[in-house]
């Protein structure tokens, strides 16, 4: 049976774009938003967990986030995870509550966030290229097993490349829109 599945490649590439859009939504452009901490993962109980599985996040003020850690022993790892997430936030620990003052959007901060948006976009591009590689490998295997002809393989490779180019263009457009929003 043929290993190449165009619908699966489309689904996986679309997933990379959706993941990027989710990551970009977490980049703050003006006010405190709990989605800002969505990309943060905390190492607790011997594994990496999303922050929202060990604490609740709220925005009590427009320029402040509050993270209520459920287990007292996880306060240190949560603090460390937020500081090392590259978001430029420095938590103030108050018992099991971490207060995160949101810094003003200085030009330097805007450049940092723009750079982070670029990193997210590059991660998505790499994911799409990996999906393309998997599709190309499956086509070559199908041809080697004589399940498809060389012409069919070349035609399908062209389709995969067009899909890849369109997906990367979508990623570039999303990243450019976010950078424009950040840089104001």
């Amino acid at each position: 049976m043929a290993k190449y599945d165009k619908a699966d490649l489309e689904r996986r590439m679309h997933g990379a774009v959706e993941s990027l859009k989710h990551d970009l939504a977490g980049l703050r452009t003006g006010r405190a938003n709990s989605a800002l901490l969505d990309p943060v993962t905390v190492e607790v109980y011997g594994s990496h967990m999303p922050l929202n599985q060990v604490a609740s996040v709220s925005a009590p003020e427009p320029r402040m986030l509050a993270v209520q850690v459920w287990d007292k022993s996880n306060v240190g790892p949560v603090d460390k995870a937020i500081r090392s997430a590259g978001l430029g936030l420095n938590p103030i620990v108050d018992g099991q509550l971490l207060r995160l003052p949101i810094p003003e959007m200085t030009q330097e901060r805007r450049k940092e966030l723009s750079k982070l948006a670029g990193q997210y976009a590059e991660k998505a591009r790499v994911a799409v290229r990996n999906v393309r590689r998997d599709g190309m490998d499956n086509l070559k295997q199908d041809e080697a097993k004589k399940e498809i002809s060389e012409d069919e393989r070349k035609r399908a490779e062209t389709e995969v490349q067009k899909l890849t180019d369109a997906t990367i263009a979508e990623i570039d457009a999303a990243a450019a829109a976010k950078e424009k929003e950040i840089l104001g």
Side-chain angles (χ1 to χ4, degrees):
M1 183 168 143
K3 288 182 122 187
Y4 172 71
D5 182 2
K6 183 179 178 186
D8 181 54
L9 293 179
E10 288 173 346
R11 180 190 57 77
R12 290 171 58 198
M13 286 186 185
H14 182 69
V17 172
E18 289 306 309
S19 176
L20 170 68
K21 288 179 179 177
H22 182 264
D23 288 347
L24 291 178
L27 291 180
R28 181 186 68 84
T29 57
R31 349 175 4 133
N33 181 352
S34 60
L36 177 63
L37 298 177
D38 283 352
V40 177
T41 58
V42 184
E43 188 172 348
V44 291
Y45 310 121
S47 65
H48 291 276
M49 302 175 86
L51 179 64
N52 64 4
Q53 291 186 6
V54 294
S56 57
V57 180
S58 62
E61 300 173 27
R63 307 208 32 80
M64 175 81 65
L65 284 174
V67 178
Q68 180 67 46
V69 182
W70 300 324
D71 184 350
K72 197 177 266 188
S73 64
N74 293 338
V75 172
V78 168
D79 179 40
K80 181 181 174 188
I82 292 171
R83 288 180 192 275
S84 64
L87 299 171
L89 300 174
N90 293 312
I92 300 166
V93 180
D94 183 16
Q96 285 179 246
L97 181 69
L98 281 76
R99 297 181 201 286
L100 299 160
I102 306 294
E104 279 291 326
M105 287 293 283
T106 62
Q107 194 60 31
E108 181 181 319
R109 178 85 177 125
R110 290 177 193 275
K111 286 180 183 174
E112 274 180 40
L113 289 175
S114 177
K115 188 176 177 183
L116 192 58
Q119 290 172 355
Y120 287 162
E122 186 56 32
K123 188 173 86 174
R125 285 186 208 101
V126 168
V128 168
R129 288 186 202 115
N130 287 339
V131 172
R132 176 189 62 194
R133 185 195 63 228
D134 291 347
M136 297 293 195
D137 290 348
N138 289 342
L139 284 168
K140 289 174 186 166
Q141 289 173 8
D142 290 348
E143 183 187 13
K145 293 178 187 174
K146 305 284 189 227
E147 293 176 359
I148 61 172
S149 69
E150 182 180 354
D151 288 344
E152 289 172 317
R153 177 186 58 84
K154 287 183 178 181
R155 205 171 303 119
E157 282 180 348
T158 303
E159 285 180 11
V160 171
Q161 187 59 48
K162 283 181 184 176
L163 179 62
T164 302
D165 293 343
T167 306
I168 287 180
E170 191 177 346
I171 289 169
D172 291 344
K178 190 63 175 186
E179 285 184 31
K180 183 179 177 189
E181 182 182 335
I182 289 170
L183 297 174

